[in-house]
């Protein structure tokens, strides 16, 4: 198998053979940087696991929960990771249906990010349960007590939405990988050839395979498109179906979907900037791809900004004293710092993306994407915590801050996500070999190449 | 053992399309084309029938939506507890369940349809397959009797195959 070459200086259009060579080269034996990164994230996961073990031992009292605020950093982080998961399917499915050719170089990384983000998100409702081992009670299964799930509850919708999303996005990722794994198999030797042969399911690039694969991929994209829009809508209804001031709003579904795509595109930039450099993928993941992602961030940032404005406007325009007080409290109450962090990161800083010079400067984009990640975590914190902290009864008003075990689990979740991603780039092509080649002009005797 | 087929290895798409057109024109029906990427030029010559995978999607989706609504309604009737002052069977919230199961079963059955029709996983060997076909070469395999194979060799060579061999 090929090895990682020196940094890429040739940015010309590659040939089919060069695509195979360059992308399979990313699967070379691990570098010191990879090993160091893996070591750090495994430590982080272990620390997160320790925090959870401490919580299981001593109970939820070790968190910062203060009545009536029982949804805190875990639910915030759950919504954050579900949101991160959105851009993957947007890039792989929606942009496929729209025939946006620029997606080919980046969609694999975004899809993998989606699957690992949903895997991370799925941990949080379980972490949030006092008795995590009873999480299966939300599943509708026949049992001797004759009990069934309450299908009228948004929390049960969430179980269906998230598990469907995880299954379909993982299927989409694996299906797309089959032809590429076959290409890796054909360039590998020894036991690696055997393993990749099994994973590729004996794929041989025959006309029969391509014909049915193409149809399957198109229909999966068509099914995944409404799914991606529905999942965060369902997550938003966890809040919007309740009568808590600041939650009970019809704007929540589109507001959450736009926010999810915004945060997801931000995370794709955060991941791709270092990945491109570490794996020498400059020839494939180009500045124009980042510019397109930056434009998506800009568009969704303006939608999110509009939603923030609408929330405040409607709170005032409704004349509802409780709603007005909640939003006044959100901006100028004890959580002003969280709200203004959210505004700064999600509304003001992304305005820099109006400038082409910023959109094409990868260092600037990387920094902005980090602010977007921070801002979108705070957005969920603001929605959840500030609303619960300032409900109808003044004697119930409270103040919550996450305590160190919750922050440890938050850090652990980033490490858990990174661990899966690092393993993925180590064993699978992070750029779609077949689709990149499909976007290139084919070799022709009578014409180009 | 005598050959059952002959494979031509092509470096150029237009050569492969030319060879395939010629073989089809001469009445060869047992043809397999290996290509690193799907190309509509090759599909146009092969003129295959529409893939039945779409029917699997339809059946999966319809099964999913029926299952989702049936499950939510049947379990509500089995455990008739009034929640939120709503009717025991409340269709609007069940749309979410029905929608998710439509997508879930639609997707899984689509994948099953692809596996069945593309005959995956493939455990045995594929006659004429060459690892170069997943990289940058196109392979055309023609199957037939000894006299047909001689004709196919000639067509493949004349069309510009870089390599022609028996399989």
């Amino acid at each position: 198998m090929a090895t990682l070459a020196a940094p890429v200086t040739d940015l010309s259009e590659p040939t089919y053979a060069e695509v195979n060579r360059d992308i399979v080269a990313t699967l070379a034996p691990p570098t010191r940087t990879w090993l160091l990164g893996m070591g750090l994230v495994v430590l982080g996961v272990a620390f997160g696991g320790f925090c959870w073990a401490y919580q299981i031992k001593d109970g939820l009292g070790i968190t910062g929960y203060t009545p009536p605020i029982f949804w805190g950093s875990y639910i915030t982080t759950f919504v954050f990771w579900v949101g991160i998961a959105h851009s993957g399917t947007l890039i792989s499915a929606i942009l496929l249906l729209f025939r946006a050719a620029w997606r080919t170089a980046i969609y694999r990384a975004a899809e993998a990010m989606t699957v690992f983000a949903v895997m991370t998100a799925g941990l949080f409702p379980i972490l949030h349960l006092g008795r995590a081992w009873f999480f299966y009670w939300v599943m509708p299964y026949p049992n001797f007590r004759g009990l069934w799930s309450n299908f009228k509850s948004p929390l049960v919708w969430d179980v269906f939405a998230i598990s469907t999303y995880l299954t379909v996005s993982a299927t989409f990722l694996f299906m797309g990988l089959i032809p590429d794994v076959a290409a890796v198999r054909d360039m590998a030797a020894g036991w690696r050839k055997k393993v990749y042969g099994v994973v590729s399911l004996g794929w041989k690039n025959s006309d029969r395979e391509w014909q049915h694969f193409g149809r399957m991929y198109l229909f999966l994209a068509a099914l995944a498109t409404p799914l991606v829009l529905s999942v965060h809508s369902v997550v938003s209804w966890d809040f919007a179906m309740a009568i808590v001031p600041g939650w009970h709003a019809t704007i929540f579904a589109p507001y959450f979907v736009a926010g999810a795509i915004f945060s997801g595109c931000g995370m794709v930039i955060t991941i791709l900037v270092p990945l491109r450099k570490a794996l020498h993928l400059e020839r494939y993941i180009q500045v124009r791809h980042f510019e397109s992602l930056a434009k998506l961030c800009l568009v969704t940032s303006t939608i999110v900004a509009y939603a923030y404005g609408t929330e405040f406007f409607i709170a005032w325009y409704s004349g509802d004293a409780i709603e007005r007080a909640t939003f006044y409290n959100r901006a100028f109450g004890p959580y002003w710092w969280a709200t203004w962090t959210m505004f700064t990161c999600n509304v003001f800083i992304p305005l820099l993306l109006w400038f082409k010079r910023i959109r094409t400067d990868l260092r600037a984009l990387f920094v902005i994407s980090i602010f977007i990640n921070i801002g979108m975590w705070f957005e969920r914190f603001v929605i959840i915590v500030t609303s619960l902290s300032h409900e109808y009864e003044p004697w119930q008003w409270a103040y919550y801050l996450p305590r160190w075990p919750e922050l440890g689990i938050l850090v652990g979740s980033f490490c858990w996500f990174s661990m899966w991603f690092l393993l993925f780039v180590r064993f699978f092509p992070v750029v779609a070999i077949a689709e990149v080649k499909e976007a290139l002009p084919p070799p022709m005797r009578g014409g180009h190449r | 053992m005598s050959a059952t087929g002959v494979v031509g290895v092509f470096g150029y798409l237009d050569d492969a399309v030319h060879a395939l057109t010629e073989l089809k024109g001469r009445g060869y029906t047992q043809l397999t084309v290996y290509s690193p990427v799907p190309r509509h030029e090759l599909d146009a010559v092969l003129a295959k029938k529409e893939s039945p995978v779409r029917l699997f999607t339809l059946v999966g989706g319809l099964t999913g939506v029926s299952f989702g609504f049936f499950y939510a309604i049947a379990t509500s009737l089995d455990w008739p507890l009034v929640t939120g002052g709503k009717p025991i069977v409340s269709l609007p919230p069940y749309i979410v369940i029905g929608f998710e199961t439509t997508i879930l079963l639609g997707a899984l059955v689509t994948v099953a349809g692809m596996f069945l029709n593309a005959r995956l996983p493939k455990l045995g060997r594929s006659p004429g397959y060459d690892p170069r076909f997943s990289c940058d070469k196109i392979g055309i395999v023609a199957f037939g009797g000894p006299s047909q194979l001689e004709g196919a060799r000639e067509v493949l060579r004349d069309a510009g195959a870089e390599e022609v061999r028996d399989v």
Side-chain angles (χ1 to χ4, degrees):
Chain A
M1 203 174 272
T3 53
L4 273 179
V8 177
T9 48
D10 175 16
L11 297 179
S12 64
E13 204 165 62
T15 62
Y16 279 11
E18 284 169 345
V19 173
N20 278 46
R21 182 201 64 194
D22 294 346
I23 297 172
V24 173
T26 63
L27 309 176
T31 58
R32 198 176 293 173
T33 317
W34 187 90
L35 288 170
L36 184 69
M38 197 63 185
L40 283 174
V41 298
V42 167
L43 271 179
V45 171
F47 182 64
F50 166 76
C51 293
W52 190 24
Y54 173 45
Q55 180 182 296
I56 287 173
K57 179 177 161 285
D58 282 13
L60 282 169
I62 64 150
T63 63
Y65 291 161
T66 313
I69 309 171
F70 290 113
W71 281 15
S73 87
Y74 295 149
I75 300 298
T76 300
T77 314
F78 162 71
V79 182
F80 171 80
W81 281 113
V82 177
I84 292 296
H86 270 57
S87 69
T89 312
L90 172 98
I91 291 168
S92 55
I94 301 181
L95 295 186
L96 174 81
L97 296 181
F98 281 101
R99 301 276 182 247
W102 65 269
R103 65 178 268 289
T104 52
I106 59 164
Y107 88 87
R108 175 66 49 73
E111 260 180 17
M113 187 194 81
T114 287
V115 174
F116 303 139
V118 185
M119 279 166 54
T120 312
L123 295 175
F124 278 88
I126 298 171
L127 287 158
H128 170 74
L129 296 175
R131 293 176 292 169
W133 45 97
F134 289 133
F135 78 95
Y136 66 91
W137 280 7
V138 290
M139 300 290 175
Y141 64 96
N143 58 82
F144 73 92
R145 291 160 295 167
L147 288 164
W148 292 99
S149 307
N150 176 12
F151 286 106
K152 297 177 196 96
S153 162
L155 298 183
V156 175
W157 304 346
D158 226 9
V159 171
F160 274 73
I162 301 289
S163 46
T164 301
Y165 193 49
L166 177 61
T167 310
V168 173
S169 55
T171 305
F172 208 49
L173 172 69
F174 183 70
M175 288 299 117
L177 270 171
I178 291 176
D180 291 355
V181 172
V184 177
R185 169 202 67 200
D186 289 343
M187 291 177 77
W191 65 269
R192 290 175 71 104
K193 193 179 187 74
K194 283 186 187 150
V195 172
Y196 283 115
V198 171
V199 179
S200 70
L201 305 174
W203 175 272
K204 295 287 164 45
N205 299 287
S206 72
D207 55 290
R208 172 191 284 272
E209 289 166 352
W210 280 125
Q211 185 202 10
H212 302 299
F213 180 87
R215 287 286 99 179
M216 179 272 305
Y217 208 66
L218 188 67
F219 286 116
L220 272 190
L223 289 167
T225 296
L227 178 66
V228 70
L229 299 178
S230 79
V231 172
H232 226 54
S233 302
V234 170
V235 170
S236 81
W237 295 332
D238 287 345
F239 307 102
M241 294 292 285
I243 55 164
V244 175
W247 286 5
H248 196 55
T250 50
I251 198 177
F252 258 43
Y255 166 28
F256 268 52
V257 171
I261 295 169
F262 177 55
S263 67
C265 288
M267 188 61 102
V268 174
I269 295 173
T270 309
I271 289 174
L272 283 184
V273 170
L275 187 79
R276 170 184 191 258
K277 194 170 170 59
L279 298 180
H280 309 310
L281 289 168
E282 290 87 345
R283 207 173 175 190
Y284 301 93
I285 304 173
Q286 297 177 356
V287 174
R288 67 190 171 93
H289 296 116
F290 287 100
E291 198 187 351
S292 299
L293 283 169
K295 285 177 184 171
L296 268 177
C297 283
L298 183 58
V299 169
T300 44
S301 158
T302 55
I303 298 173
V304 166
Y306 173 76
Y308 294 161
T310 304
E311 278 193 309
F312 276 89
F313 173 75
I314 294 295
W316 167 77
Y317 188 66
S318 68
D320 184 316
I322 304 284
E323 198 75 12
R324 279 185 179 182
T326 295
F327 278 88
Y328 183 86
N329 177 64
R330 197 175 270 190
F332 305 111
Y335 285 109
W336 66 270
W337 50 273
T339 307
W340 289 100
T341 303
M342 173 187 92
F343 281 136
T344 307
C345 295
N346 297 345
V347 178
F348 303 133
I349 291 176
L351 291 175
L352 290 168
L353 298 173
W354 281 103
F355 301 100
K356 191 178 174 74
R357 226 177 66 193
I358 302 280
R359 289 199 306 268
T360 51
D361 181 336
L362 298 193
R363 276 171 300 186
L365 273 184
F366 182 73
V367 173
I368 291 172
S369 74
I370 299 287
F371 278 113
I372 292 173
N373 294 332
I374 294 170
M376 286 309 293
W377 189 88
F378 271 96
E379 181 199 287
R380 280 63 178 253
F381 183 84
V382 166
I383 292 171
I384 294 167
V385 175
T386 67
S387 301
L388 288 174
S389 75
H390 202 271
E391 284 198 63
Y392 298 96
E393 307 283 2
W395 58 267
Q396 275 198 318
W397 293 348
Y399 192 73
Y400 157 88
L401 278 182
R403 289 193 61 238
W404 70 265
E406 294 166 275
L407 297 176
I409 286 175
L410 173 64
V411 172
S413 78
F414 277 90
C415 293
W416 165 264
F417 169 82
S418 308
M419 179 185 79
W420 287 107
F421 200 86
L422 282 172
L423 284 171
F424 181 80
V425 299
R426 173 75 190 83
F427 294 109
F428 293 100
V430 75
V431 174
I433 297 173
E435 286 212 42
V436 165
K437 286 196 284 196
E438 233 180 305
L440 293 171
M444 304 282 255
R445 188 187 292 280
H448 41 76
R449 204 175 287 141
Chain B
M1 206 170 74
S2 61
T4 56
V6 58
V7 59
V9 180
F10 292 87
Y12 297 101
L13 177 66
D14 43 359
D15 289 352
V17 171
H18 178 64
L20 199 58
T21 311
E22 191 68 19
L23 287 167
K24 287 279 279 187
R26 292 195 188 188
Y28 288 86
T29 51
Q30 286 181 278
L31 295 165
T32 298
V33 180
Y34 297 107
S35 58
V37 293
R39 290 300 315 182
H40 63 87
E41 296 91 337
L42 296 165
D43 295 339
V45 181
L46 287 168
K48 292 188 162 202
K49 281 192 288 188
E50 180 68 43
S51 166
V53 167
R54 58 187 178 158
L55 294 175
F56 284 79
T57 311
L58 180 67
V59 170
L62 291 175
T63 312
V65 71
S66 314
F67 173 76
F69 276 102
F70 169 78
Y71 204 45
I73 292 169
T75 56
S76 299
L77 292 172
D78 189 45
W79 177 252
L81 185 71
V82 175
T83 50
K86 301 290 185 294
I88 295 296
V89 174
S90 305
L91 290 181
Y94 299 170
I95 292 172
V96 177
I97 307 296
F99 173 81
E100 299 299 340
T101 48
T102 307
I103 302 290
L104 181 65
L105 282 182
L108 294 179
V109 176
T110 302
V111 170
M114 189 278 282
F115 281 164
L116 277 174
N117 285 287
R119 295 177 191 164
L120 289 174
K122 194 168 285 158
L123 301 174
R125 53 185 284 280
S126 302
Y129 182 73
D130 188 299
R132 287 175 292 174
F133 299 153
S134 65
C135 184
D136 59 344
K137 304 292 179 195
I138 299 167
I140 298 178
V141 190
F143 297 96
S147 60
Q148 282 182 303
L149 293 190
E150 190 45 49
R153 276 186 211 102
E154 191 186 307
V155 171
L156 293 170
R157 261 192 228 105
D158 289 351
E162 293 173 1
E163 187 183 320
V164 177
R165 58 185 163 80
D166 292 343
V167 293

